[in-house]
Amino acid sequence: QKKRSRESSRFETSTSKIDEYKKIKISQINFVGYDLLNKKSTVVGIIENDKFVNNTNQNGQNLEIITDSTTFYPEGGGQVGDSGIIFNDNFKFEVRDTQEVIKGIITHIGVLKSGKISIGDKVFNNVDEQNRKDSGRNHTATHLLHSALRKRLGNHVRQAGSLVEPDRLRFDFSHPKALSKAEISDVQNLVSTQINLDSSIRKSEDKYNDAIKRGALAFFGDRYDQTVRLIEIGDESTFSFEVCGGTHVQSTGELGQFIIVSESSIGAGLRRIEAYSGRRAKEFLDSKIESLNILSKQLNCKPEDIKDKVEFLSKNLDLYSKKIDYSKTKIINMLAEEIADKSVVQNEINIVSNVVNLEPAMLKELSDKIQDYIPNSLIILGTSTIKGPVVIVKSTKKAIEAGYDAREIVKMISEIINGRGGGKPEMAQAGGDDNTKLINIENIDLEHLNKN
């Protein structure tokens, strides 16, 4: 019910806003941005707080500005809306998004940075050129990717959605299983080949039905006008031919690079590819190259030899790990025997209390080995670390019966090393913050350990 209420609220707001758009004395905003990025136009609508107003000077306020023509591309076909500025001598408006809110009406959404804007003002529409070019590269790359997938995987591939932004593209398509590394590599190479050919990109218009008969693809699920815009890529032979109203580059060479960065599932029979082209692809590759160069210096080898060097180090690491494990076992055996020989018998229980120079993780293994030498025992072992001392207390069944509860002993030790701990009667552990106090556990008054 809450969800339906929210959706209803949004619908009512949208309907109310549509009424405000209808107050604009123009039914069709001319988009002239395929060939132009800058153009003079006239303000025909201002929407402030979802209401049509004749003027505003609310600097910092989120507004919508509508002009009789625009160079700003409105979001559509997966491509995000343009950004940029609309201005004249009296004001500056920062466009952060562009949308076709109702058929024929394109609105610029953004923030009034300075000045006052009024209906009828003559203004300049300036699209952010870099973002437009980056979006155009990624949109062209999307078409190349779509075609490459069909050529490599089969004509069952259908576009199921896309997102074209200045810094990346996302392409959803129908396919029953994950792509193999070889398939991803082949698809990427097919796109890269077209980029290297610097194939021309031809834009034209035709009747929708005629375009489909000519072989143009239109799998978006969108509704098309009777006359549609067509994008055809390829010189000697057509590589890609689609119905598309988005913006594109003039030739494939402008993409520079194309990199597939991920391929994943988004549902049964649906896959998703994310990729970079142009500047973002170059930045991505530059980052990888820099990482390789840093790694090659650390490994003292050429970048092309990193793989072999890592394999060599990995094999040696396994060998050294085995040697280290063997050495640790040998050390623990020798140390356990040495410590066991120094045990003190109290109430028929062998008691040892020692500070050792071992990693905390090795204390339990050492205590187990000591118990092999002296079965009926109470074992107290400590070691120092950067963070502070660590102590474990281990008590055998007979030691517990004799009154040596590891938990109680750990409580007493925690006070000595300025820490705290806990555990079970047979084994407990404590940690502290003062390594200098650790030596004191070797001088514990053994006569008072027995709680009986």
Side-chain angles (χ1 to χ4, degrees), residues 194-212:
Q194 288 301 310
I195 293 173
N196 294 333
L197 288 173
D198 194 22
S199 301
S200 61
I201 300 173
R202 296 177 294 283
K203 296 105 173 178
S204 61
E205 291 187 352
D206 201 350
K207 301 295 184 183
Y208 176 78
N209 290 335
D210 292 339
I212 299 302

Side-chain angles (χ1 to χ4, degrees), residues 312-322:
F312 171 78
L313 291 174
S314 180
K315 289 178 182 178
N316 279 275
L317 181 61
D318 290 340
L319 177 62
Y320 291 138
S321 294
K322 290 177 182 178

Side-chain angles (χ1 to χ4, degrees), residues 196-235:
N196 294 333
L197 288 173
D198 194 22
S199 301
S200 61
I201 300 173
R202 296 177 294 283
K203 296 105 173 178
S204 61
E205 291 187 352
D206 201 350
K207 301 295 184 183
Y208 176 78
N209 290 335
D210 292 339
I212 299 302
K213 288 178 182 178
R214 289 169 52 197
L217 299 181
F219 296 140
F220 314 100
D222 290 348
R223 295 179 180 178
Y224 296 97
D225 293 332
Q226 188 175 0
T227 300
V228 293
R229 191 166 185 261
L230 303 173
I231 303 297
E232 187 172 4
I233 305 174
D235 290 325

